[in-house]
Amino acid sequence: MDERKRTGLRARVYEKLLDASEEKYQEFHRKLLPGVTGILGVRTPNLRRIAGGLSAKERGQYIEEMERVFRELSQGESREIPPCYDEKIIWGLCIGKTKTWEDALPHIRAFVPAIDNWAVCDLICGSLKAAGKNRKAAWEFIQPYLDSGEEYELRFGLVMLLGYFVEEAYLERALVRIDRVSHPGYYAKMGAAWALSVYFVHFPEQVMEYLKSSRLDDWTYNKALQKITESLRVDKETKAVIRSMKRKGSRQAADPTNSCSD
């Protein structure tokens, strides 16, 4: 019998998560996140509501508790149950509400190794609004992640890239970083393709020139073209040109979800 349990504020927040969980949504969400266990089935607005209902002091306490649990788990010393999907979302949302980039930084660094699926990754990235107010520091922070050999660390860097650095001042450097992506993981490849499609919408001429000499693997390159053609902000004539640029003979990797946020 597993005698591990949840303690402290974490236990109280978990009860709120259970109260907000929905069985049908749980089944739906499980299909989007194959292989991810511990999905309670709490809708994102309710997750935001629960995180937002915590005071600043409680958010700090929750972050500290989750960091301790994850650290102890990684060392094989924890007597607590590993964080479930919904708890990780609350954890990330609490970090996102940290007022300054400087204060958030060590907590982001502690959180990233806990990312084990695209949904947690993308939601935490979208919540880190302080990055947009501290772009120079945030740019330097994400560089090691863009070189990471870990799939979700790399995706974290790429999603941060498309979330906060789609600006002309970062365009050339961003394309260089994307072009260096060579990870075999599906979600890393999708992150690169997604980022390219976002940059194309804002800087079509520059990204078009990049695509003509891109060193990305065929799958990622073709997926980027596909996502560009799916954008409602790209005209029909441009989409026709993009389709004509597809590399032939490349094998398409299977989508493990068939319904990814990408």
Side-chain angles (χ1 to χ4, degrees), residues 17-260:
L17 290 171
L18 289 178
D19 290 341
S21 64
E22 301 175 35
E23 186 175 350
K24 289 185 177 180
Y25 186 70
Q26 180 187 56
E27 292 303 315
F28 167 76
H29 214 62
R30 282 176 175 169
K31 294 177 182 179
L32 297 181
L33 298 168
V36 178
T37 59
I39 299 174
L40 299 180
V42 183
R43 296 178 185 272
T44 301
N46 288 330
L47 289 167
R48 294 187 184 279
R49 175 182 57 78
I50 291 170
L54 299 174
S55 67
K57 181 178 180 180
E58 288 174 324
R59 289 195 298 270
Q61 180 183 342
Y62 193 81
I63 292 169
E64 289 181 3
E65 288 184 7
M66 295 301 282
E67 288 180 355
R68 174 184 55 76
V69 170
F70 187 76
R71 182 173 60 253
E72 291 175 354
L73 283 167
S74 66
Q75 297 170 348
E77 300 174 352
S78 181
R79 295 183 178 180
E80 292 203 34
I81 296 171
C84 70
Y85 166 82
D86 307 77
E87 287 180 297
K88 287 184 180 180
I89 295 293
I90 297 295
W91 180 8
L93 290 174
C94 286
I95 295 172
K97 289 183 176 295
T98 304
K99 289 187 177 181
T100 70
W101 176 254
E102 292 77 13
D103 289 340
L105 195 57
H107 301 304
I108 300 169
R109 188 176 286 113
F111 180 85
V112 172
I115 298 174
D116 60 0
N117 63 78
W118 64 263
V120 168
C121 175
D122 297 2
L123 198 146
I124 179 64
C125 289
S127 300
L128 299 176
K129 304 303 181 184
K133 300 177 182 179
N134 298 268
R135 284 190 172 85
K136 184 177 180 180
W139 174 264
E140 293 303 320
F141 174 70
I142 68 172
Q143 297 311 301
Y145 296 108
L146 291 169
D147 286 325
S148 177
E150 297 295 327
E151 181 173 12
Y152 290 107
E153 288 189 0
L154 176 53
R155 184 180 174 97
F156 170 79
L158 291 165
V159 178
M160 288 293 288
L161 201 66
L162 67 88
Y164 302 102
F165 300 98
V166 183
E167 296 184 345
E168 191 167 4
Y170 290 97
L171 175 60
E172 185 175 347
R173 284 176 286 172
L175 292 178
V176 169
R177 302 304 271 127
I178 295 170
D179 199 54
R180 287 167 56 176
V181 173
S182 60
H183 197 284
Y186 174 84
Y187 293 104
K189 289 175 177 287
M190 283 299 298
W194 182 17
L196 271 179
S197 70
V198 172
Y199 274 97
F200 185 91
V201 167
H202 291 84
F203 304 102
E205 294 181 5
Q206 295 94 320
V207 178
M208 180 69 83
E209 284 302 308
Y210 157 75
L211 289 170
K212 293 176 182 178
S213 59
S214 170
R215 295 176 297 177
L216 286 172
D217 66 89
D218 290 351
W219 190 92
T220 306
Y221 171 87
N222 286 341
K223 182 60 69 171
L225 299 187
Q226 177 188 324
K227 294 190 72 61
I228 290 170
T229 62
E230 291 172 352
S231 173
L232 298 177
R233 299 174 65 182
V234 178
D235 61 63
K236 293 181 179 180
E237 292 76 13
T238 302
K239 288 182 179 181
V241 173
I242 290 294
R243 291 190 181 97
S244 73
M245 295 169 62
K246 182 178 180 180
R247 294 174 184 169
K248 307 299 182 182
S250 63
R251 296 179 60 188
Q252 294 292 303
D255 183 339
T257 67
N258 291 320
S259 182
C260 180

